[in-house]
Amino acid sequence: MMQHVSACRHINLTACPDVSEIAPVSDASRHAFHLVADVADQEVDSTASRRLRRAVDFLAAVQFMVGAGFHPHAGRTTLRLAAVFAARMARSKDGQFPFSAEATARALGLQRRAVFSHVRYLRELGLIAYVEHGTQRNVLRTRHGANWTRQHGYRGTATLFAAVAPRVWDEAMGHRIRGQGYEARLVGVTETGRVLATAPSVARRRQKTDNRQNEPVDNPGSCTPSVPVPQPRTTGAVGRGIKDRTRQRACREKNYRQHRRKGSTNWSAARTATTIHQTRNIQLHTWWTQGTCIRQLAYALRPCFEAGWTWQETARELARWTVPLRPRHVASYITSEIRRRTNTGTLHLPDGLITPYRQPETSTWDDDTTTHGPRYTTMQASKARDYRPAATRAAAALKQARQLLTHRERAKQQSTQTCRIPGAHPENVLLTRQEFASLVENSPPVLAGETLCAQAEEATEYRLDTENRRKTWEYNPPAPPEPR
């Protein structure tokens, strides 16, 4: 049936919320529209409306169709439901969105029956079309087949809608359409459509111009800038004792702001560019670094380049790490792994490039310097009362640990304070002439290489002969009996 604007008195166009920036200004009464009452015509394959991909276009079409009064029951709640559907369109590139009656009812604060009614209004207006009908069939059971068990649970099939626009809206907006149905495409606009599309921009520009004209303008002179008004000549200082402000400002010492004062890396632009070029070669030879930001990767590998490594050596080191999966953030992983390997001793880099981990202070947990001291002493006393053998062993182990720590501290102090070699100089540790002469007298003579090799061969032959004599023996058969 054909509806007219005047026939829908329950719809107040000024009371409807403006859910989009596009406000149709054309006369909707000049266009005829028949409600899509047949359910078979509300499918994607059979609809006469074309596909919409953007939420802005969908909201504009809904506002036009509802505001024009083409449906006697569509109103402000229908616009709210369309806004919920438009928010879900961003998940699909084809402008499709799922429909859940319970979730939509909670979002709008309505009953399920009201939600179904307004969805039917949108379908009859040709604004949404069925892509897939929801069913109570368990899709998990269909997916798993014979391997389905009760532990997999239940999940029904949701209804899937597509946002579409009826032909009456395209005609009112001045759109030129090629094709029919859901696959129709927008190929251009008419002269009327161009005016409607640019009307909001023209209105905003005109409003901005009117606001500028209404503002007060300080223009005391009645002449144009090319004819300046003569001013009386002054010879005194102009404000603050400065006669020529322009010259004073030009001669003033410039205080430029120093960029990146804190945390500067002291790397020049040429060196950074060279590092990025070398990092590109590393990225081509290491599979799990490909696809990440080349600048972040170059910054993470700076300790290796600071140590003087080439890109071949760096790529060989990364290949030794045997990374099974691609890290989520490659640069952060390389930074933490270089620090960990340097502090554990598996990666050797010069001192000062990698910050060491903070080592906790050594404590036996029974001193009063920590918060656990009194509690640990009480626990040891209760152990001594209840479990005497175990407490005795714990006390002996604690005493041994204390002695070890004390011995290490004393040895460290002695090594730094005193020198065990008498007469040696701490700065270069050289022997005196008397010590060197006594060392030469008491030492055996130095043999040549050939003599050492000959002695080693003789010792080896003697050892082999001794071992063969012990392991081998001869079998001598018994002599025959003598004749009688």
Side-chain angles (χ1 to χ4, degrees):
M1 58 181 294
M2 177 179 177
Q3 300 293 338
H4 196 268
V5 179
S6 60
C8 302
R9 300 177 181 178
H10 69 286
I11 297 180
N12 187 5
L13 297 181
T14 60
C16 293
D18 189 7
V19 294
S20 68
E21 297 181 357
I22 301 176
V25 295
S26 61
D27 187 6
S29 61
R30 296 181 303 173
H31 305 279
F33 177 73
H34 297 273
L35 293 178
V36 186
D38 192 358
V39 182
D41 295 336
Q42 298 174 2
E43 303 286 341
V44 170
D45 300 334
S46 58
T47 183
S49 304
R50 68 178 180 91
R51 173 172 54 184
L52 293 179
R53 300 177 184 270
R54 300 195 309 163
V56 177
D57 298 338
F58 175 67
L59 291 176
V62 173
Q63 185 183 11
F64 174 81
M65 299 297 292
V66 174
F70 290 124
H71 200 287
H73 302 294
R76 186 179 303 175
T77 306
T78 311
L79 296 176
R80 293 176 56 202
L81 179 63
V84 173
F85 288 165
R88 300 175 185 174
M89 288 177 59
R91 306 174 186 175
S92 173
K93 62 182 180 62
D94 296 326
Q96 301 175 1
F97 52 90
F99 171 67
S100 175
E102 290 76 8
T104 308
R106 288 194 301 269
L108 297 176
L110 302 175
Q111 299 293 333
R112 296 178 74 254
R113 183 176 180 180
V115 172
F116 283 119
S117 299
H118 287 278
V119 168
R120 178 168 55 85
Y121 302 158
L122 292 177
R123 288 190 282 109
E124 292 177 352
L125 287 172
L127 295 170
I128 58 176
Y130 281 108
V131 178
E132 183 178 355
H133 290 268
T135 61
Q136 298 295 331
R137 184 175 64 255
N138 190 356
V139 294
L140 297 179
R141 190 165 190 171
T142 306
R143 181 185 303 173
H144 295 284
N147 298 328
W148 180 84
T149 59
R150 292 183 179 273
Q151 285 73 18
H152 288 93
Y154 168 79
R155 185 182 300 171
T157 305
T159 301
L160 196 64
F161 282 117
V164 292
R167 183 58 66 92
V168 62
W169 178 69
D170 290 327
E171 293 177 357
M173 294 293 104
H175 296 166
R176 295 170 52 207
I177 307 301
R178 178 179 298 174
Q180 298 291 333
Y182 183 73
E183 299 297 334
R185 296 186 299 111
L186 176 64
V187 295
V189 293
T190 59
E191 190 64 30
T192 305
R194 187 177 293 104
V195 173
L196 294 176
T198 58
S201 300
V202 173
R204 286 193 298 268
R205 185 180 301 174
R206 188 173 301 169
Q207 183 179 3
K208 187 181 297 184
T209 305
D210 295 341
N211 294 337
R212 289 180 179 178
Q213 292 179 357
N214 294 332
E215 293 178 356
V217 180
D218 186 10
N219 188 13
S222 59
C223 58
T224 60
S226 59
V227 184
V229 179
Q231 299 292 338
R233 185 174 180 180
T234 57
T235 57
V238 183
R240 295 186 181 180
I242 302 176
K243 183 177 180 181
D244 194 349
R245 293 193 175 188
T246 306
R247 186 63 182 172
Q248 184 71 16
R249 189 180 296 109
C251 298
R252 191 180 302 167
E253 183 180 358
K254 298 179 176 60
N255 184 15
Y256 292 106
R257 181 181 177 183
Q258 296 182 0
H259 298 280
R260 199 169 182 174
R261 182 65 177 272
K262 183 178 180 180
S264 179
T265 57
N266 298 326
W267 276 53
S268 61
R271 188 179 181 186
T272 304
T274 305
T275 305
I276 293 175
H277 178 69
Q278 295 177 357
T279 307
R280 175 66 67 184
N281 298 332
I282 296 173
Q283 194 176 40
L284 294 176
H285 287 76
T286 310
W287 66 270
W288 52 271
T289 61
Q290 297 173 2
T292 185
C293 178
I294 190 65
R295 295 181 178 271
Q296 296 180 2
L297 186 60
Y299 188 82
L301 293 174
R302 276 190 178 184
C304 299
F305 295 125
E306 284 277 5
W309 291 13
T310 60
W311 71 266
Q312 293 89 347
E313 296 174 350
T314 308
R316 193 179 300 111
E317 176 63 29
L318 296 181
R320 293 195 188 100
W321 291 2
T322 61
V323 181
L325 297 175
R326 189 190 304 272
R328 179 175 298 180
H329 197 280
V330 179
S332 300
Y333 172 75
I334 290 178
T335 302
S336 61
E337 191 68 11
I338 288 177
R339 186 182 182 188
R340 185 188 69 82
R341 289 175 177 267
T342 304
N343 286 276
T344 54
T346 57
L347 183 62
H348 301 284
L349 291 176
D351 298 337
L353 293 181
I354 303 299
T355 306
Y357 292 117
R358 292 188 301 175
Q359 301 295 335
E361 298 181 358
T362 305
S363 175
T364 56
W365 293 93
D366 62 338
D367 50 359
D368 295 335
T369 58
T370 60
T371 58
H372 305 282
R375 177 175 174 271
Y376 189 83
T377 305
T378 306
M379 184 179 64
Q380 290 295 334
S382 63
K383 274 188 176 183
R385 291 193 307 267
D386 301 337
Y387 309 100
R388 292 187 181 277
T392 305
R393 290 194 298 269
L398 180 62
K399 184 178 180 180
Q400 185 180 1
R402 282 180 173 177
Q403 292 178 356
L404 182 61
L405 291 175
T406 307
H407 177 70
R408 287 181 180 177
E409 292 295 333
R410 290 178 180 177
K412 187 182 298 183
Q413 293 177 2
Q414 291 178 1
S415 61
T416 55
Q417 294 177 0
T418 61
C419 184
R420 298 181 181 179
I421 303 177
H425 304 281
E427 61 274 6
N428 49 11
V429 193
L430 297 176
L431 296 177
T432 61
R433 294 184 178 181
Q434 293 79 8
E435 292 174 347
F436 187 77
S438 61
L439 184 63
V440 171
E441 292 177 358
N442 299 328
S443 300
V446 180
L447 302 178
E450 297 179 357
T451 307
L452 292 176
C453 292
Q455 292 180 0
E457 290 179 358
E458 291 179 0
T460 304
E461 292 178 359
Y462 178 76
R463 181 174 54 82
L464 294 177
D465 292 343
T466 305
E467 292 179 357
N468 291 335
R469 289 175 185 175
R470 293 177 181 177
K471 295 181 180 180
T472 59
W473 54 276
E474 295 180 359
Y475 174 75
N476 298 322
E482 296 179 358
R484 296 179 180 179

